[in-house]
Amino acid sequence: MTRARMPRPHEVAAARRDPRLLRALRERRHDDAWRTRGTCQSVDPETFFPAPNEPADAAVALCRSCDVQGSCLAWALEVGDCHGVWGGTTPRERRAMLVAWRSEVQPDPDALDDAGPPVRDRLLTLVPSS
Ligand code: SF4
């Protein structure tokens, strides 16, 4: 297993200007019910966890049409988990966003406490049982 490299300064600078991050900053803590309203509720959760050598385009495209994209990304950044697609971002994109986020936002202890089970399990809870 290889360790992810630290984002470079130009990547962090680009992340600070990324509209997805700006939306997350605006919408954080505005919608506690975002998990129940995500577009991914009706999609196979595997879509949001592509293997490292697989494209994440399908998941990112679904997130783009999601009404709670900002809240979802804000949550992922507050938790700091970098697996899977959240809020229309890939893990690599979020690594740079995380550096920018942590310089802009104080940690939310409630979000971290709420992290509880692994993030993948949390996404699975969004999928209605059949
Ligand atoms: S991962 Fe987040 S942004 Fe993407 S569809 Fe699900 S709730 Fe929406």
Side-chain angles (χ1 to χ4, degrees), residues 28-40:
R28 71 190 183 106
R29 300 181 196 167
H30 285 185
D31 183 3
D32 290 336
W34 65 268
R35 289 178 185 86
T36 64
R37 299 196 296 114
T39 301
C40 51

Side-chain angles (χ1 to χ4, degrees), residues 8-18 96 100:
R8 297 192 169 101
H10 73 274
E11 293 170 321
V12 176
R16 281 185 205 286
R17 298 187 301 271
D18 191 307

Side-chain angles (χ1 to χ4, degrees), residues 107-121:
D108 178 355
D110 292 337
L112 296 175
D113 287 348
D114 197 34
V119 173
R120 188 173 188 286
D121 291 345

Side-chain angles (χ1 to χ4, degrees), residues 34-41 43 48 59-73 84-89 123 126:
W34 65 268
R35 289 178 185 86
T36 64
R37 299 196 296 114
T39 301
C40 51
Q41 282 195 55
V43 178
F48 293 85
V60 170
L62 285 165
C63 291
R64 277 199 204 107
S65 66
C66 180
D67 290 340
V68 295
Q69 185 180 348
S71 296
C72 176
L73 177 55
V85 172
W86 294 89
T89 61
L123 185 60
L126 296 175

Side-chain angles (χ1 to χ4, degrees), residues 81-128:
D81 187 286
C82 278
H83 299 287
V85 172
W86 294 89
T89 61
T90 63
R92 182 175 181 172
E93 291 171 322
R94 278 200 311 280
R95 279 194 285 277
M97 286 184 178
L98 197 53
V99 176
W101 179 267
R102 287 180 173 160
S103 69
E104 300 286 337
V105 176
Q106 294 299 310
D108 178 355
D110 292 337
L112 296 175
D113 287 348
D114 197 34
V119 173
R120 188 173 188 286
D121 291 345
R122 189 169 286 283
L123 185 60
L124 289 172
T125 66
L126 296 175
V127 180

